[in-house]
Amino acid sequence: MTDTSFDTEVTAKAAESGANASARFRERIASSGTRAGVVDTERVNYLASKVIKGLNDIILDDKVSYEEYNALKAWLIKVGETGEWPLFLDVWLEHSVEEVANEHREGSKGTIEGPYYIEGAPELSWNGTIPMRDNEPGTPLLFEGQVRAVDGTPLSGAKLELWHADDLGFYSQFAPGLPEWNLRGTWTANEDGRFEIHTLRPAPYMIPTDGACGQLIEAAGWHAWRPAHLHFKVSAPGHELITTQLYFPGDPHNEDDIASAVKPELLLDPQDSADGNGFVTHYDFVLDPEH
Ligand code: DHB
Ligand code: FE
């Protein structure tokens, strides 16, 4: 692949992924119940007033100029036009929402979902291989472990959904040209709650840089990287579903993830595979009871 065609692919992805993420989010809200996305008047009054006051305080304290105000206005318009609100919100705010939502948990740590989850990935057996292209680039990774309750009971038949980016950082259904369910699957744990997931080790991921989010990153002198990660949703009847991500030690962006979604408990410990082909790593998920 030449540099030029790679740039084209990256650009096409950035332009498309924002719009796709917005469309997917709208579909999910529409199908998830009548009051989804609705917050009662008193709470809206309280929170919206607080946000508006917070921004006004910043303008006054930091003496924000018309030039800066208009730059913000132009940027906000562009976030909407490029469909990048899901990306912006999931990168810079979701980690705090997740912290609040999961502070009661005793089991495994969660972290942000991000904009690229799709429901209904192909069902695989407890030790199945993730859907991938014939010559999918990347190093084999065997991810094995057990799903348990907080009291240690193995959760037979637990469901594990995994989605991750390919070797170039692209997610299927958000970047063009990838098979629909590439690197997305649903595993059912065996009678002992165990699973063996055959996949590839993901590469570090750069959020799209040619849209409004990229413009902010560049204007502020930040970087656009997330460390390599595996996204999971793990669930079992009578237990709370956990949405999380797992990371690889030594990744240069574990300490400065743009999405602030890395936690020490979410680092894997991959070892060279006994057959010399790739890596094997062990991770157990512990689910809280439903309340
Ligand atoms: C974004 C992408 C991710 O893969 C992720 O996990 C979180 C956020 C993003 O581009 O906004
Ligand atoms: Fe991701």
Side-chain angles (χ1 to χ4, degrees), residues 213-229:
C213 291
Q215 190 185 17
L216 170 61
I217 288 164
E218 198 187 322
W222 301 337
H223 73 77
W225 290 95
R226 296 218 58 224
H229 56 279

Side-chain angles (χ1 to χ4, degrees), residues 46-252:
Y46 172 75
L47 292 175
S49 300
K50 205 162 173 173
V51 169
I52 290 165
K53 180 170 187 319
L55 292 173
N56 277 284
D57 287 349
I58 292 169
I59 293 168
L60 297 171
D61 291 351
D62 292 300
K63 300 195 184 301
V64 170
S65 68
Y66 261 104
E67 197 175 26
E68 290 165 336
Y69 174 68
N70 286 332
L72 172 66
K73 211 164 172 177
W75 181 78
L76 288 170
I77 292 167
K78 185 166 169 176
V79 178
E81 283 171 352
T82 53
E84 282 201 327
W85 279 118
L87 273 60
F88 173 79
L89 292 165
D90 294 349
V91 165
W92 283 295
L93 298 184
E94 191 190 352
H95 65 93
S96 294
V97 181
E98 188 279 328
E99 187 179 323
V100 173
N102 286 333
E103 64 189 359
H104 66 283
R105 280 188 199 253
E106 288 171 26
S108 297
K109 289 278 177 209
T111 191
I112 68 168
E113 176 173 320
Y116 299 144
Y117 171 68
I118 308 265
E119 221 180 293
E123 304 258 355
L124 304 155
S125 65
W126 74 280
N127 60 356
T129 300
I130 202 164
M132 65 173 92
R133 292 166 288 183
D134 284 344
N135 294 310
E136 190 70 46
T139 310
L141 174 70
L142 168 58
F143 179 93
E144 47 99 18
Q146 190 184 36
V147 186
R148 293 190 298 267
V150 283
D151 68 2
T153 313
L155 295 173
S156 149
K159 194 169 106 174
L160 300 105
E161 293 174 89
L162 165 63
W163 71 103
H164 65 85
D166 69 11
D167 215 42
L168 295 173
F170 297 140
Y171 283 87
S172 58
Q173 301 191 44
F174 293 90
L178 293 169
E180 190 177 19
W181 295 106
N182 209 52
L183 304 177
R184 296 176 183 273
T186 306
W187 287 257
T188 302
N190 71 11
E191 56 281 5
D192 303 318
R194 295 194 177 277
F195 55 84
E196 279 183 22
I197 292 174
H198 297 263
T199 189
L200 299 174
R201 184 170 171 153
Y205 171 83
M206 193 170 73
I207 74 160
T209 50
D210 71 322
C213 291
Q215 190 185 17
L216 170 61
I217 288 164
E218 198 187 322
W222 301 337
H223 73 77
W225 290 95
R226 296 218 58 224
H229 56 279
L230 299 168
H231 288 270
F232 280 95
K233 281 183 185 281
V234 182
S235 60
H239 294 78
E240 274 193 83
L241 178 151
I242 186 93
T243 299
T244 194
Q245 298 182 25
L246 297 169
Y247 303 92
F248 296 84
D251 190 297

